[in-house]
């Protein structure tokens, strides 16, 4: 499994004072040097953390891969087509939410997703759909032509160490199996941390885990190089 580091929280901290530090672009380079196989960032419609300029700079400075998280919004699609990241991950987005709260409802809007991702696929950008680990969402994702799904691991993370951990974990395992059977590649992420990440090894064939909050939180105490290399070691 590979580690993708989400650097959005670095931008949140920077924006708290409206200045230039800490610089998410510099953080991305540190992540790359310490075991990240890709850098994920979410250009939100309200630009609350990462700004357009960050994304343009990352495009020119990254030595690994840029995975751009985005909602189904035309202006963000335009930027994606301009910068051509290695991959995009389509996520639902609500203005009031603190973080991406649930998976994208692909099953309820297959045609809309097909239409939205077509220009991105035509441009050679890999498309991933961030979905809950549910059969109908996995099957609908296949219909869209996207190559990847990213399974939302939030419910598993929330249940970790509690009675319903096994049930939530099995949903991920079964969804990953189904996805691979029908020809989708599978990533996972959201809420994964240094304690709960180990069970991802029990799911065969996962390509990449996208992790942000726990890594940036640990970095406050240990520094970013240690936080990233420790997570990279855990998921290798
Ligand atoms: N994957 C997706 C699609 C996300 O939206 C997020 C959160 O921005 C993550 C992964 C990373 O989640 P966390 O910050 O909880 O590790």
């Amino acid at each position: 499994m590979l580690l993708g580091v989400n650097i959005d929280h670095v931008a949140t901290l920077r924006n708290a004072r409206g200045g230039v530090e800490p610089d998410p672009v510099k953080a991305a380079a540190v992540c790359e040097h310490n075991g990240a196989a890709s850098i994920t960032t979410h250009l939100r419609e309200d630009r609350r953390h990462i700004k357009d300029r960050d994304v343009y700079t990352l495009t020119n400075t990254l030595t690994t891969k840029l995975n751009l998280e985005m909602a189904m919004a035309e202006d963000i699609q335009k930027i994606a087509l301009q910068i051509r990241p290695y991959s995009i991950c389509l996520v639902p987005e609500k203005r009031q939410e603190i973080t991406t709260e649930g998976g994208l409802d692909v099953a309820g809007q297959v045609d809309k997703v097909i239409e939205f991702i077509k220009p991105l696929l035509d441009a050679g950008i890999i498309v991933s759909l961030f979905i809950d680990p549910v059969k109908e969402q996995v099957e609908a994702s296949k219909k869209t032509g996207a190559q990847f799904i990213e399974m939302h691991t939030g419910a598993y993370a929330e249940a970790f160490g509690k009675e319903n951990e096994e049930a939530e974990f099995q949903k991920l395992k079964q969804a990953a199996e189904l996805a691979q059977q029908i020809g989708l590649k599978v990533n996972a992420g959201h809420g994964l941390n240094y304690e709960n990440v180990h069970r991802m090894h029990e799911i065969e064939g996962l390509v990449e885990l996208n992790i942000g909050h726990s890594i940036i939180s640990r970095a406050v105490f240990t520094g970013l190089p240690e936080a990233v290399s420790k997570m990279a070691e855990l998921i290798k």
Side-chain angles (χ1 to χ4, degrees), residues 6 8 69 89 91 99-100 130 150 189-192 210-213:
N6 182 314
D8 294 344
E69 280 180 22
C89 180
V91 299
T99 180
T100 314
F130 186 52
E150 178 171 329
H190 206 100
L192 294 175
N210 288 315
I211 307 179
H213 187 82

Side-chain angles (χ1 to χ4, degrees), residues 89-91 103-115 117 121 127-152 175 178-180 182-187:
C89 180
L90 214 56
V91 299
L104 184 70
D105 178 19
V106 180
Q109 47 180 346
V110 175
D111 291 341
K112 194 173 163 200
V113 174
I114 290 175
E115 196 185 322
I117 67 175
L121 289 168
V127 173
S128 177
L129 306 176
F130 186 52
I131 58 166
D132 291 326
V134 172
K135 187 171 181 271
E136 62 164 348
Q137 297 296 346
V138 174
E139 288 171 347
S141 297
K142 177 64 185 170
K143 289 186 196 147
T144 67
Q147 301 97 326
F148 272 81
I149 55 164
E150 178 171 329
M151 296 191 299
H152 196 313
L178 170 64
Q180 292 174 74
I182 61 177
L184 288 163
K185 293 187 188 126
V186 186
N187 294 333

Side-chain angles (χ1 to χ4, degrees), residues 212-233:
H213 187 82
S214 63
I215 293 177
I216 305 305
S217 301
R218 185 182 176 104
V220 171
F221 299 103
T222 67
L224 193 53
E226 193 277 347
V228 174
S229 57
K230 178 76 185 167
M231 187 59 88
E233 193 187 303

